Amino acid sequence: MEKKTSHLFPTYARWSLHIEYGEGSYLYSKDGKKYLDFVSGIAVCNLGHRHHAVESAVSEQMQKYWHLSNLFPISLQEEVAEILTSHSDTDLAFFCNSGAEANEAAIKLARKYTKRHKIITFEKSFHGRTFATMSATGQAKIHDGYGPLLPEFVYLPLNDSDALEATMNTEVAAVMVEIVQGEGGVVVAQDEFLQKLAALCQQNGTLLIVDEVQTGIGRTGTAFAYQHVPHLSPDIITSAKGIANGLPLGVMLGKMNLAEAFGPGSHGSTFGGNPLSLAAAKASLEIIFNDAFLQTVSEKGCYLRDELKKHVYTIPFVKDIRGKGLMIGIACEVDVSSVIVELQQQGLLALTAGPNVIRLLPPLTISQQEMDEAVTIITDVLNNYCV
């Protein structure tokens, strides 16, 4: 029988799972198999699949209008912007469609505001796949094949204060950093390093951009991950993934003094701040940004890491279990790609973060029973791999 030809560019190494529907922490395939989802759409479905409040909000908005364009005042944009800024050290929001677009806006704003061109990012970082955000990403595999990148990006080792101090000067427009490097291996930036970074930015008139595309919206147990670090106050925050629980929405948040560089005509997005996505975002944020909810995320993260350390850390090739909140990496001395396949076969969906790290991103609504189920599967698979 002739194999069906796909009409899609082969830009993704897709899994051979055909999903029929999702509910809560589970996905169900067309062949009837049930999967515990510790991918969450890559840290997107923070409230799980088809959360009733989000579904209801989107359905209600669909009865009004789906799209107007940013020629019109849109009250939902103001409402969601107020929620985001009131839960961060920022004053203003620019809505777009993705994390890459949010970082693109941040790069443009930093260069335009400071009238400088040099931006510091970090090795193993990931900031997106547009030309500017690809250039900002400190991974050669993202750059390969595209020729000269956008100048002037400098990549430094994360948590290396000496390298940072030697590079910082009054020519640097911004430093862009992830509090936890997701794609780079679930590597956590140290508090002391981030505080030193903030001080050097202030000394040199350099903007501090915190990329919260994956870590934001409650993923680490605070509204934004930078809030774990005492006295850290970014000039710009970018966020996306979890903000609308699966509908496309990104946002760049910034302080009031930056408004002068982003006036009418300076930047824009046809679909940015789409009403359906904003309805989903408002419903999601009203749940996630509740203090009691965030506390449960912290508690669940501690529980899951402790259980993994108890059951998995003793396996010889497991080197580390790290992360914040419900963003957890199991670092191994072996390539884990085959482990991910075996986890799937046992009913658990997880990701890699580089070749040697198993990345776990469960819904923030995950139950203790579901976490226990995941730990059992992971332990069994890793023990069998060890044999």
Side-chain angles (χ1 to χ4, degrees), residues 247-288:
L247 274 74
L249 186 65
V251 67
M252 180 191 69
L253 303 170
K255 293 189 172 177
M256 184 64 74
N257 61 296
L258 302 174
E260 65 186 63
F262 249 29
S266 58
H267 195 52
S269 170
T270 296
F271 293 109
N274 173 270
L276 297 181
S277 294
L278 287 164
K282 183 181 178 184
S284 299
L285 296 174
E286 286 175 344
I287 296 168
I288 294 172

mmCIF file of all heavy atoms in Angstrom, residues 247-288:
data_model
loop_
_atom_site.group_PDB
_atom_site.id
_atom_site.type_symbol
_atom_site.label_atom_id
_atom_site.label_comp_id
_atom_site.label_asym_id
_atom_site.label_seq_id
_atom_site.Cartn_x
_atom_site.Cartn_y
_atom_site.Cartn_z
ATOM 1 N N LEU A 247 -4.708 28.512 24.010
ATOM 2 C CA LEU A 247 -4.964 29.417 22.886
ATOM 3 C C LEU A 247 -3.736 30.301 22.682
ATOM 4 O O LEU A 247 -3.036 30.628 23.649
ATOM 5 C CB LEU A 247 -6.211 30.262 23.139
ATOM 6 C CG LEU A 247 -7.526 29.583 22.714
ATOM 7 C CD1 LEU A 247 -7.892 28.480 23.688
ATOM 8 C CD2 LEU A 247 -8.648 30.597 22.615
ATOM 9 N N PRO A 248 -3.441 30.700 21.444
ATOM 10 C CA PRO A 248 -2.199 31.419 21.176
ATOM 11 C C PRO A 248 -2.229 32.846 21.718
ATOM 12 O O PRO A 248 -3.070 33.665 21.329
ATOM 13 C CB PRO A 248 -2.109 31.415 19.644
ATOM 14 C CG PRO A 248 -3.509 31.197 19.172
ATOM 15 C CD PRO A 248 -4.185 30.373 20.213
ATOM 16 N N LEU A 249 -1.311 33.129 22.641
ATOM 17 C CA LEU A 249 -1.188 34.471 23.201
ATOM 18 C C LEU A 249 0.198 34.628 23.803
ATOM 19 O O LEU A 249 0.691 33.745 24.501
ATOM 20 C CB LEU A 249 -2.243 34.706 24.287
ATOM 21 C CG LEU A 249 -2.310 36.128 24.854
ATOM 22 C CD1 LEU A 249 -2.753 37.123 23.792
ATOM 23 C CD2 LEU A 249 -3.250 36.189 26.059
ATOM 24 N N GLY A 250 0.838 35.740 23.501
ATOM 25 C CA GLY A 250 2.099 36.113 24.125
ATOM 26 C C GLY A 250 1.981 37.537 24.617
ATOM 27 O O GLY A 250 1.095 38.291 24.195
ATOM 28 N N VAL A 251 2.890 37.915 25.517
ATOM 29 C CA VAL A 251 2.850 39.274 26.039
ATOM 30 C C VAL A 251 4.256 39.738 26.410
ATOM 31 O O VAL A 251 5.070 38.955 26.897
ATOM 32 C CB VAL A 251 1.911 39.383 27.262
ATOM 33 C CG1 VAL A 251 2.457 38.616 28.471
ATOM 34 C CG2 VAL A 251 1.644 40.838 27.625
ATOM 35 N N MET A 252 4.539 40.983 26.113
ATOM 36 C CA MET A 252 5.716 41.652 26.640
ATOM 37 C C MET A 252 5.242 42.666 27.666
ATOM 38 O O MET A 252 4.399 43.528 27.367
ATOM 39 C CB MET A 252 6.490 42.366 25.535
ATOM 40 C CG MET A 252 7.730 43.091 26.065
ATOM 41 S SD MET A 252 8.494 44.206 24.864
ATOM 42 C CE MET A 252 7.254 45.504 24.734
ATOM 43 N N LEU A 253 5.755 42.562 28.878
ATOM 44 C CA LEU A 253 5.430 43.490 29.950
ATOM 45 C C LEU A 253 6.629 44.396 30.198
ATOM 46 O O LEU A 253 7.776 43.938 30.145
ATOM 47 C CB LEU A 253 5.083 42.733 31.234
ATOM 48 C CG LEU A 253 3.946 41.716 31.138
ATOM 49 C CD1 LEU A 253 3.882 40.863 32.400
ATOM 50 C CD2 LEU A 253 2.623 42.435 30.903
ATOM 51 N N GLY A 254 6.374 45.674 30.469
ATOM 52 C CA GLY A 254 7.482 46.593 30.700
ATOM 53 C C GLY A 254 7.116 47.709 31.650
ATOM 54 O O GLY A 254 5.939 47.941 31.947
ATOM 55 N N LYS A 255 8.142 48.413 32.106
ATOM 56 C CA LYS A 255 7.936 49.528 33.026
ATOM 57 C C LYS A 255 7.534 50.793 32.270
ATOM 58 O O LYS A 255 7.789 50.941 31.072
ATOM 59 C CB LYS A 255 9.203 49.741 33.850
ATOM 60 C CG LYS A 255 9.473 48.561 34.790
ATOM 61 C CD LYS A 255 10.586 48.827 35.773
ATOM 62 C CE LYS A 255 10.659 47.688 36.781
ATOM 63 N NZ LYS A 255 11.773 47.836 37.729
ATOM 64 N N MET A 256 6.909 51.697 32.997
ATOM 65 C CA MET A 256 6.287 52.878 32.395
ATOM 66 C C MET A 256 7.273 53.730 31.602
ATOM 67 O O MET A 256 6.925 54.283 30.554
ATOM 68 C CB MET A 256 5.625 53.719 33.489
ATOM 69 C CG MET A 256 4.855 54.919 32.963
ATOM 70 S SD MET A 256 3.446 54.444 31.921
ATOM 71 C CE MET A 256 2.304 53.850 33.197
ATOM 72 N N ASN A 257 8.520 53.840 32.058
ATOM 73 C CA ASN A 257 9.476 54.716 31.377
ATOM 74 C C ASN A 257 9.799 54.249 29.957
ATOM 75 O O ASN A 257 10.286 55.021 29.131
ATOM 76 C CB ASN A 257 10.769 54.817 32.185
ATOM 77 C CG ASN A 257 11.455 53.467 32.366
ATOM 78 O OD1 ASN A 257 10.903 52.564 32.998
ATOM 79 N ND2 ASN A 257 12.653 53.335 31.841
ATOM 80 N N LEU A 258 9.501 52.989 29.637
ATOM 81 C CA LEU A 258 9.792 52.464 28.308
ATOM 82 C C LEU A 258 8.757 52.875 27.262
ATOM 83 O O LEU A 258 8.975 52.693 26.063
ATOM 84 C CB LEU A 258 9.884 50.941 28.361
ATOM 85 C CG LEU A 258 10.938 50.371 29.319
ATOM 86 C CD1 LEU A 258 10.823 48.846 29.379
ATOM 87 C CD2 LEU A 258 12.339 50.780 28.882
ATOM 88 N N ALA A 259 7.635 53.422 27.711
ATOM 89 C CA ALA A 259 6.544 53.764 26.791
ATOM 90 C C ALA A 259 6.980 54.754 25.723
ATOM 91 O O ALA A 259 6.496 54.700 24.579
ATOM 92 C CB ALA A 259 5.362 54.327 27.584
ATOM 93 N N GLU A 260 7.898 55.628 26.041
ATOM 94 C CA GLU A 260 8.326 56.660 25.093
ATOM 95 C C GLU A 260 8.948 56.066 23.826
ATOM 96 O O GLU A 260 8.930 56.701 22.762
ATOM 97 C CB GLU A 260 9.344 57.593 25.775
ATOM 98 C CG GLU A 260 10.647 56.908 26.147
ATOM 99 C CD GLU A 260 11.588 57.806 26.941
ATOM 100 O OE1 GLU A 260 11.231 58.214 28.063
ATOM 101 O OE2 GLU A 260 12.689 58.085 26.412
ATOM 102 N N ALA A 261 9.496 54.843 23.927
ATOM 103 C CA ALA A 261 10.148 54.224 22.769
ATOM 104 C C ALA A 261 9.205 53.361 21.943
ATOM 105 O O ALA A 261 9.583 52.900 20.862
ATOM 106 C CB ALA A 261 11.328 53.383 23.237
ATOM 107 N N PHE A 262 7.996 53.141 22.436
ATOM 108 C CA PHE A 262 7.060 52.271 21.730
ATOM 109 C C PHE A 262 5.737 52.999 21.499
ATOM 110 O O PHE A 262 4.687 52.578 21.958
ATOM 111 C CB PHE A 262 6.846 50.971 22.518
ATOM 112 C CG PHE A 262 7.434 49.746 21.850
ATOM 113 C CD1 PHE A 262 8.540 49.841 21.023
ATOM 114 C CD2 PHE A 262 6.887 48.489 22.058
ATOM 115 C CE1 PHE A 262 9.093 48.715 20.409
ATOM 116 C CE2 PHE A 262 7.429 47.351 21.462
ATOM 117 C CZ PHE A 262 8.536 47.467 20.632
ATOM 118 N N GLY A 263 5.817 54.076 20.739
ATOM 119 C CA GLY A 263 4.626 54.836 20.408
ATOM 120 C C GLY A 263 3.923 54.265 19.191
ATOM 121 O O GLY A 263 4.327 53.239 18.637
ATOM 122 N N PRO A 264 2.842 54.921 18.725
ATOM 123 C CA PRO A 264 2.079 54.446 17.566
ATOM 124 C C PRO A 264 2.968 54.218 16.339
ATOM 125 O O PRO A 264 3.782 55.075 15.984
ATOM 126 C CB PRO A 264 1.078 55.573 17.327
ATOM 127 C CG PRO A 264 0.887 56.197 18.670
ATOM 128 C CD PRO A 264 2.242 56.132 19.323
ATOM 129 N N GLY A 265 2.827 53.051 15.727
ATOM 130 C CA GLY A 265 3.589 52.715 14.531
ATOM 131 C C GLY A 265 4.932 52.069 14.788
ATOM 132 O O GLY A 265 5.584 51.598 13.848
ATOM 133 N N SER A 266 5.376 51.998 16.052
ATOM 134 C CA SER A 266 6.700 51.452 16.351
ATOM 135 C C SER A 266 6.713 49.934 16.342
ATOM 136 O O SER A 266 7.754 49.313 16.089
ATOM 137 C CB SER A 266 7.184 51.961 17.708
ATOM 138 O OG SER A 266 6.258 51.596 18.724
ATOM 139 N N HIS A 267 5.582 49.314 16.614
ATOM 140 C CA HIS A 267 5.495 47.861 16.626
ATOM 141 C C HIS A 267 4.020 47.486 16.530
ATOM 142 O O HIS A 267 3.142 48.317 16.802
ATOM 143 C CB HIS A 267 6.114 47.300 17.922
ATOM 144 C CG HIS A 267 6.390 45.823 17.855
ATOM 145 N ND1 HIS A 267 7.109 45.238 16.839
ATOM 146 C CD2 HIS A 267 6.024 44.807 18.687
ATOM 147 C CE1 HIS A 267 7.199 43.932 17.049
ATOM 148 N NE2 HIS A 267 6.538 43.633 18.161
ATOM 149 N N GLY A 268 3.735 46.235 16.145
ATOM 150 C CA GLY A 268 2.339 45.854 16.029
ATOM 151 C C GLY A 268 2.177 44.380 15.719
ATOM 152 O O GLY A 268 3.146 43.667 15.449
ATOM 153 N N SER A 269 0.919 43.915 15.750
ATOM 154 C CA SER A 269 0.597 42.524 15.459
ATOM 155 C C SER A 269 -0.879 42.446 15.098
ATOM 156 O O SER A 269 -1.733 42.846 15.896
ATOM 157 C CB SER A 269 0.885 41.640 16.670
ATOM 158 O OG SER A 269 0.370 40.343 16.491
ATOM 159 N N THR A 270 -1.194 41.945 13.906
ATOM 160 C CA THR A 270 -2.588 41.869 13.478
ATOM 161 C C THR A 270 -3.435 41.057 14.448
ATOM 162 O O THR A 270 -4.521 41.467 14.850
ATOM 163 C CB THR A 270 -2.677 41.241 12.076
ATOM 164 O OG1 THR A 270 -2.017 42.100 11.147
ATOM 165 C CG2 THR A 270 -4.130 41.053 11.651
ATOM 166 N N PHE A 271 -2.938 39.881 14.844
ATOM 167 C CA PHE A 271 -3.720 38.993 15.696
ATOM 168 C C PHE A 271 -3.373 39.139 17.179
ATOM 169 O O PHE A 271 -3.980 38.470 18.018
ATOM 170 C CB PHE A 271 -3.518 37.532 15.269
ATOM 171 C CG PHE A 271 -4.079 37.225 13.908
ATOM 172 C CD1 PHE A 271 -3.239 36.990 12.831
ATOM 173 C CD2 PHE A 271 -5.447 37.176 13.696
ATOM 174 C CE1 PHE A 271 -3.756 36.714 11.571
ATOM 175 C CE2 PHE A 271 -5.971 36.903 12.439
ATOM 176 C CZ PHE A 271 -5.122 36.667 11.374
ATOM 177 N N GLY A 272 -2.392 39.967 17.506
ATOM 178 C CA GLY A 272 -1.977 40.115 18.897
ATOM 179 C C GLY A 272 -3.102 40.661 19.766
ATOM 180 O O GLY A 272 -3.709 41.679 19.447
ATOM 181 N N GLY A 273 -3.372 39.975 20.876
ATOM 182 C CA GLY A 273 -4.463 40.392 21.745
ATOM 183 C C GLY A 273 -5.815 40.004 21.204
ATOM 184 O O GLY A 273 -6.810 40.705 21.410
ATOM 185 N N ASN A 274 -5.872 38.854 20.518
ATOM 186 C CA ASN A 274 -7.134 38.360 19.977
ATOM 187 C C ASN A 274 -8.148 38.128 21.101
ATOM 188 O O ASN A 274 -7.808 37.588 22.148
ATOM 189 C CB ASN A 274 -6.868 37.054 19.227
ATOM 190 C CG ASN A 274 -8.142 36.371 18.780
ATOM 191 O OD1 ASN A 274 -8.700 35.564 19.511
ATOM 192 N ND2 ASN A 274 -8.602 36.714 17.596
ATOM 193 N N PRO A 275 -9.400 38.524 20.923
ATOM 194 C CA PRO A 275 -10.392 38.427 22.003
ATOM 195 C C PRO A 275 -10.621 37.015 22.537
ATOM 196 O O PRO A 275 -10.846 36.840 23.740
ATOM 197 C CB PRO A 275 -11.672 38.976 21.355
ATOM 198 C CG PRO A 275 -11.184 39.871 20.271
ATOM 199 C CD PRO A 275 -9.932 39.247 19.754
ATOM 200 N N LEU A 276 -10.578 36.004 21.678
ATOM 201 C CA LEU A 276 -10.776 34.637 22.167
ATOM 202 C C LEU A 276 -9.631 34.213 23.077
ATOM 203 O O LEU A 276 -9.852 33.615 24.140
ATOM 204 C CB LEU A 276 -10.912 33.663 20.998
ATOM 205 C CG LEU A 276 -12.095 33.863 20.059
ATOM 206 C CD1 LEU A 276 -12.096 32.788 18.978
ATOM 207 C CD2 LEU A 276 -13.416 33.845 20.824
ATOM 208 N N SER A 277 -8.413 34.528 22.679
ATOM 209 C CA SER A 277 -7.255 34.198 23.508
ATOM 210 C C SER A 277 -7.284 34.971 24.823
ATOM 211 O O SER A 277 -6.939 34.440 25.883
ATOM 212 C CB SER A 277 -5.962 34.499 22.748
ATOM 213 O OG SER A 277 -5.830 33.650 21.626
ATOM 214 N N LEU A 278 -7.696 36.222 24.752
ATOM 215 C CA LEU A 278 -7.758 37.038 25.970
ATOM 216 C C LEU A 278 -8.833 36.542 26.932
ATOM 217 O O LEU A 278 -8.650 36.582 28.154
ATOM 218 C CB LEU A 278 -8.020 38.497 25.605
ATOM 219 C CG LEU A 278 -6.823 39.217 24.993
ATOM 220 C CD1 LEU A 278 -7.261 40.497 24.314
ATOM 221 C CD2 LEU A 278 -5.776 39.513 26.059
ATOM 222 N N ALA A 279 -9.935 36.065 26.398
ATOM 223 C CA ALA A 279 -10.972 35.498 27.260
ATOM 224 C C ALA A 279 -10.425 34.283 28.004
ATOM 225 O O ALA A 279 -10.662 34.112 29.212
ATOM 226 C CB ALA A 279 -12.193 35.109 26.431
ATOM 227 N N ALA A 280 -9.680 33.447 27.277
ATOM 228 C CA ALA A 280 -9.046 32.280 27.904
ATOM 229 C C ALA A 280 -8.013 32.723 28.938
ATOM 230 O O ALA A 280 -7.910 32.130 30.019
ATOM 231 C CB ALA A 280 -8.395 31.406 26.845
ATOM 232 N N ALA A 281 -7.256 33.767 28.607
ATOM 233 C CA ALA A 281 -6.231 34.254 29.523
ATOM 234 C C ALA A 281 -6.841 34.808 30.808
ATOM 235 O O ALA A 281 -6.368 34.512 31.911
ATOM 236 C CB ALA A 281 -5.396 35.333 28.842
ATOM 237 N N LYS A 282 -7.878 35.598 30.684
ATOM 238 C CA LYS A 282 -8.502 36.169 31.880
ATOM 239 C C LYS A 282 -9.010 35.066 32.803
ATOM 240 O O LYS A 282 -8.776 35.100 34.027
ATOM 241 C CB LYS A 282 -9.648 37.100 31.485
ATOM 242 C CG LYS A 282 -10.298 37.790 32.690
ATOM 243 C CD LYS A 282 -11.446 38.694 32.262
ATOM 244 C CE LYS A 282 -12.090 39.322 33.506
ATOM 245 N NZ LYS A 282 -13.271 40.134 33.149
ATOM 246 N N ALA A 283 -9.688 34.072 32.234
ATOM 247 C CA ALA A 283 -10.199 32.965 33.044
ATOM 248 C C ALA A 283 -9.053 32.190 33.690
ATOM 249 O O ALA A 283 -9.138 31.799 34.868
ATOM 250 C CB ALA A 283 -11.043 32.039 32.171
ATOM 251 N N SER A 284 -7.970 31.964 32.945
ATOM 252 C CA SER A 284 -6.826 31.219 33.475
ATOM 253 C C SER A 284 -6.123 31.981 34.582
ATOM 254 O O SER A 284 -5.816 31.422 35.646
ATOM 255 C CB SER A 284 -5.830 30.925 32.346
ATOM 256 O OG SER A 284 -6.417 30.142 31.330
ATOM 257 N N LEU A 285 -5.857 33.266 34.342
ATOM 258 C CA LEU A 285 -5.106 34.061 35.312
ATOM 259 C C LEU A 285 -5.873 34.269 36.612
ATOM 260 O O LEU A 285 -5.277 34.321 37.701
ATOM 261 C CB LEU A 285 -4.739 35.413 34.702
ATOM 262 C CG LEU A 285 -3.794 35.361 33.490
ATOM 263 C CD1 LEU A 285 -3.619 36.747 32.887
ATOM 264 C CD2 LEU A 285 -2.449 34.769 33.867
ATOM 265 N N GLU A 286 -7.192 34.392 36.520
ATOM 266 C CA GLU A 286 -7.990 34.572 37.737
ATOM 267 C C GLU A 286 -7.898 33.357 38.653
ATOM 268 O O GLU A 286 -8.047 33.479 39.875
ATOM 269 C CB GLU A 286 -9.448 34.861 37.370
ATOM 270 C CG GLU A 286 -9.643 36.282 36.832
ATOM 271 C CD GLU A 286 -11.060 36.554 36.359
ATOM 272 O OE1 GLU A 286 -11.830 35.574 36.155
ATOM 273 O OE2 GLU A 286 -11.406 37.731 36.163
ATOM 274 N N ILE A 287 -7.627 32.193 38.069
ATOM 275 C CA ILE A 287 -7.424 30.980 38.873
ATOM 276 C C ILE A 287 -5.979 30.871 39.331
ATOM 277 O O ILE A 287 -5.688 30.701 40.523
ATOM 278 C CB ILE A 287 -7.824 29.730 38.063
ATOM 279 C CG1 ILE A 287 -9.321 29.752 37.751
ATOM 280 C CG2 ILE A 287 -7.452 28.451 38.825
ATOM 281 C CD1 ILE A 287 -9.750 28.709 36.728
ATOM 282 N N ILE A 288 -5.038 30.997 38.392
ATOM 283 C CA ILE A 288 -3.631 30.718 38.686
ATOM 284 C C ILE A 288 -3.017 31.758 39.607
ATOM 285 O O ILE A 288 -2.219 31.414 40.499
ATOM 286 C CB ILE A 288 -2.836 30.610 37.377
ATOM 287 C CG1 ILE A 288 -3.300 29.391 36.574
ATOM 288 C CG2 ILE A 288 -1.332 30.519 37.645
ATOM 289 C CD1 ILE A 288 -2.722 29.298 35.173
#
